[in-house]
Amino acid sequence: MSDTPTAEEIAGHYSAAMDSVNLINALMAQDSRTSEDQDTVDRNVDHLQIMVAKDYWTTEDLAPFNNAITAGS
């Protein structure tokens, strides 16, 4: 079994990370956030930081990940 994900698996990881991006952006766009909202932002920022550090990305645009990390931090 290879440690390198297939192109299909990478696409799935990218899609999941984009779900985190969209959630962070939606919550940060609110005028105020509950502590539960902030916990959600924090968990998703942590997820994106892990994903950005992966070495299997090829041509994927990671700018939305980094922008959401910045917005949520």
Side-chain angles (χ1 to χ4, degrees):
M1 186 171 97
S2 172
D3 288 340
T4 304
T6 65
E8 195 170 89
E9 289 168 332
I10 291 171
H13 292 311
Y14 190 83
S15 178
M18 283 304 297
D19 290 343
S20 288
V21 167
N22 293 330
L23 186 57
I24 290 167
N25 290 340
L27 289 171
M28 296 309 291
Q30 295 177 2
D31 290 334
S32 63
R33 284 169 294 290
T34 65
S35 61
E36 186 177 317
D37 290 341
Q38 191 57 52
D39 288 345
T40 298
V41 168
D42 293 343
R43 279 193 311 275
N44 281 275
V45 165
D46 290 345
H47 173 237
L48 289 177
Q49 288 172 326
I50 291 166
M51 295 311 292
V52 166
K54 299 293 183 183
D55 64 1
Y56 52 64
W57 302 116
T58 56
T59 60
E60 296 81 12
D61 181 7
L62 302 184
F65 298 6
N66 290 309
N67 292 341
I69 290 168
T70 299
S73 295

